[in-house]
Amino acid sequence: MATFSVEKIPDNWPKDLIESIPVFDFTKLSAINTCPTWGIIRYGLHKTVSASSRAMALEAGEACHQVFAAVRLIDILRNLHMYSDHHSPNVLRDAVFSRSTELFGKNRTKQFFDILSEPDDERTLAIKAGLHILETSGFYDDPKDKRRTIDKLSEACIVYIDRYEFGKHIPYVSHDLGFIGTENSFHFLVRYNSNGHERLVRFYGRIDGVHCYKNNPNDLFVGENKTASRLNDAWEQSFETSHQVTGYIVAARMVSELDITRARITGLAIPQPRVSDYDGYNNTFVKRSNTQFQEWADWFMHTCEMYFKYIDTPLQAPKYTHSCNRYFRPCSFIPLCASDMEDREELFTAMEDERWSPLEEKSYD
């Protein structure tokens, strides 16, 4: 029986020791399970094939996530009384300003707060502030993509702001103001023992939000945002078993030291549909049991062991050919995988380096 634990990284561990420990996030873990060859080469060795086109779905999603973060900050600012037992409104506002600066930079944050202080109704201010964050996100139109334009993103974000229930599920703020439940990174150790050997790896990533109920600030749940081309029953039901959601709940439990078992997934369609059962916006709650937490741990260990088995011989890793056509496009590694071994070595050597990190900080000033 394998043992498995998630632990905080000791404060006295030197940086070089920490960085020497292999690190995994959900994207890397999922990619290895999608196809070990692709996942290990792309996210283990950070190799890629030069791409001539933009990843518009990823860019649009990243821009919208900045708006989702801004809306969470607005929700806190509108409900400062929730935290008044421990801090004055001015102290709380300063903490939100500081968090906003970490996310958006000084200039964008100042403009964001200036908009929110204008004399107008709450809906108008939220939309103006949210669209300011979108328009300064760095996203720009591509003539080849008519579905993901700044206008269509703006339309979707306005729907999101109108449907967001301000004051009902408020982002969690810890008593010491060290944790504000918006775009929260996590970084932990995972220790497991299987077949007589111990592994020590790191688990890291970023949670979109951690929320609490208005009348019970210690009843927390994870808030996860998703952008998609369409929302339907299949989209909703996929989160009942998603290891990504389970992993984020595990991380939130570690960060808050509270018994979190639920997550709310909010879906936003881009572009917004003209006719849809979900109307281009959907909230769904999911809950995790002890069995599902154990299944996540088993999946995590299985994936790590696949990684360690082939990280030094990636061209010998299994090829899951059912995934050679993902998201309606051929995998960029097909020329590599379809070649003879001698040519494969040459193609692999010629691949470009492009590191992936979910915690990469970007400068927006």
Side-chain angles (χ1 to χ4, degrees):
M1 179 68 178
T3 60
F4 183 94
S5 65
V6 182
E7 308 166 8
K8 293 184 178 180
I9 299 174
D11 293 336
N12 61 350
W13 279 22
K15 182 178 179 182
D16 58 345
L17 172 61
I18 296 171
E19 292 182 347
S20 70
I21 300 171
V23 64
F24 295 86
D25 69 297
F26 175 77
T27 298
K28 181 175 177 178
L29 293 163
S30 180
I32 292 170
N33 278 280
T34 299
C35 174
T37 294
W38 176 66
I40 290 170
I41 292 177
R42 177 64 192 93
Y43 295 101
L45 299 172
H46 305 284
K47 298 288 186 180
T48 187
V49 177
S50 178
S52 58
S53 60
R54 294 166 59 193
M56 291 298 290
L58 293 176
E59 290 187 28
E62 198 279 334
C64 288
H65 271 73
Q66 293 185 45
V67 178
F68 304 152
V71 170
R72 285 186 171 92
L73 296 179
I74 294 172
D75 198 10
I76 298 173
L77 291 170
R78 288 187 179 180
N79 293 280
L80 295 179
H81 62 279
M82 279 280 297
Y83 316 100
S84 59
D85 290 347
H86 302 279
H87 300 283
S88 69
N90 286 339
V91 170
L92 289 163
R93 192 175 289 106
D94 287 345
V96 176
F97 188 94
S98 177
R99 183 70 187 121
S100 178
T101 301
E102 292 172 353
L103 294 174
F104 306 131
K106 293 180 181 178
N107 293 337
R108 294 174 78 201
T109 291
K110 182 180 183 305
Q111 294 166 345
F112 177 64
F113 271 70
D114 286 347
I115 292 170
L116 292 175
S117 66
E118 292 176 1
D120 219 326
D121 63 274
E122 289 188 335
R123 175 181 182 270
T124 299
L125 293 180
I127 290 173
K128 288 174 65 175
L131 293 185
H132 160 69
I133 293 299
L134 176 66
E135 291 162 0
T136 56
S137 67
F139 181 86
Y140 60 95
D141 290 355
D142 185 329
K144 299 176 183 177
D145 192 327
K146 302 300 183 184
R147 294 175 57 81
R148 302 175 188 89
T149 65
I150 194 69
D151 287 343
K152 285 183 166 53
L153 265 61
S154 297
E155 178 185 8
C157 288
I158 291 172
V159 169
Y160 181 83
I161 292 168
D162 279 340
R163 300 285 292 275
Y164 184 95
E165 297 175 303
F166 288 96
K168 183 176 181 180
H169 305 128
I170 303 168
Y172 174 72
V173 177
S174 63
H175 293 167
D176 62 1
L177 302 182
F179 182 91
I180 294 178
T182 303
E183 289 287 315
N184 304 111
S185 60
F186 61 86
H187 190 184
F188 299 114
L189 292 176
V190 170
R191 189 188 306 271
Y192 67 90
N193 186 292
S194 182
N195 298 321
H197 65 270
E198 184 178 76
R199 293 286 194 195
L200 187 64
V201 300
R202 290 180 288 152
F203 174 44
Y204 75 163
R206 191 184 300 273
I207 305 171
D208 291 338
V210 177
H211 293 252
C212 62
Y213 287 94
K214 181 177 181 180
N215 297 322
N216 190 350
N218 289 319
D219 186 5
L220 306 186
F221 61 86
V222 169
E224 175 70 5
N225 291 94
K226 296 293 183 184
T227 54
S229 58
R230 65 177 62 86
L231 308 178
N232 53 29
D233 286 338
W235 173 89
E236 182 175 304
Q237 291 180 30
S238 69
F239 298 106
E240 293 291 342
T241 56
S242 167
H243 285 312
Q244 181 183 32
V245 173
T246 310
Y248 287 171
I249 293 176
V250 170
R253 290 160 70 102
M254 290 293 297
V255 170
S256 67
E257 299 182 346
L258 294 171
D259 185 24
I260 302 174
T261 59
R262 290 167 300 125
R264 181 188 65 186
I265 293 86
T266 302
L268 184 68
I270 300 174
Q272 285 286 290
R274 298 306 167 208
V275 178
S276 169
D277 291 341
Y278 285 80
D279 198 24
Y281 178 96
N282 175 260
N283 274 325
T284 182
F285 270 93
V286 295
K287 188 174 182 178
R288 292 297 186 260
S289 65
N290 288 335
T291 297
Q292 287 173 299
F293 286 127
Q294 182 59 54
E295 289 170 345
W296 172 82
D298 292 340
W299 171 80
F300 192 106
M301 290 185 286
H302 164 79
T303 310
C304 290
E305 288 304 291
M306 178 76 76
Y307 168 87
F308 287 119
K309 184 175 181 178
Y310 292 105
I311 185 62
D312 294 325
T313 56
L315 298 181
Q316 297 176 23
K319 294 166 179 57
Y320 294 172
T321 57
H322 63 268
S323 72
C324 290
N325 187 37
R326 298 186 300 274
Y327 307 112
F328 311 104
R329 67 173 64 183
C331 176
S332 61
F333 286 9
I334 286 179
L336 174 79
C337 296
S339 301
D340 293 334
M341 186 56 70
E342 184 176 336
D343 294 334
R344 201 176 290 176
E345 294 277 2
E346 185 176 340
L347 289 169
F348 175 75
T349 302
M351 294 178 78
E352 298 180 358
D353 292 324
E354 184 179 289
R355 296 195 67 82
W356 156 258
S357 170
L359 305 185
E360 180 182 355
E361 296 293 342
K362 299 181 180 179
S363 175
Y364 295 108
D365 276 346

